[in-house]
Amino acid sequence: METIRLEFQPNIKAKILELLSSFSSDELKIVQEDLDFDENKKKIAKAYAKLKSGTEKMYSIDEVDAILDKTFSEYDS
């Protein structure tokens, strides 16, 4: 299956749903919109811009492992 995202004026929602209801559940599935989609999209765009500009600090797997080991050892009792 493929997925598309539609943006429409609220006054045509009933017409769109009426049209979509003419398809079987095998042909079409209506997926609930992620309420945080726009916020998440902005966060990802900002993180990508930092990464692309070189201002974001990158860590290797070994560096992350060492940081986590150090952090966990501080809380071991």
Side-chain angles (χ1 to χ4, degrees), residues 24-39:
S24 73
S25 60
D26 291 335
E27 296 173 306
L28 177 74
K29 177 182 175 186
I30 298 175
V31 179
Q32 186 67 22
E33 176 74 276
D34 177 3
L35 299 178
D36 298 323
F37 179 83
D38 290 326
E39 183 180 333

Side-chain angles (χ1 to χ4, degrees), residues 6-67:
L6 302 173
E7 291 186 15
F8 53 86
Q9 294 297 320
N11 60 323
I12 67 164
K13 182 177 182 177
K15 291 178 183 178
I16 291 173
L17 292 175
E18 182 180 342
L19 170 67
L20 295 177
S21 68
S22 67
F23 296 98
S24 73
S25 60
D26 291 335
E27 296 173 306
L28 177 74
K29 177 182 175 186
I30 298 175
V31 179
Q32 186 67 22
E33 176 74 276
D34 177 3
L35 299 178
D36 298 323
F37 179 83
D38 290 326
E39 183 180 333
N40 292 336
K41 183 178 174 182
K42 289 176 189 175
K43 287 179 185 178
I44 291 171
K46 186 177 176 181
Y48 178 69
K50 283 182 173 180
L51 181 64
K52 194 172 178 182
S53 71
T55 60
E56 191 68 25
K57 172 72 172 136
M58 301 291 291
Y59 295 96
S60 71
I61 295 294
D62 292 333
E63 290 172 316
V64 171
D65 192 39
I67 292 168

Side-chain angles (χ1 to χ4, degrees), residues 66-76:
I67 292 168
L68 290 173
D69 284 345
K70 180 182 177 192
T71 302
F72 290 147
S73 69
E74 291 174 3
Y75 292 97
D76 284 343

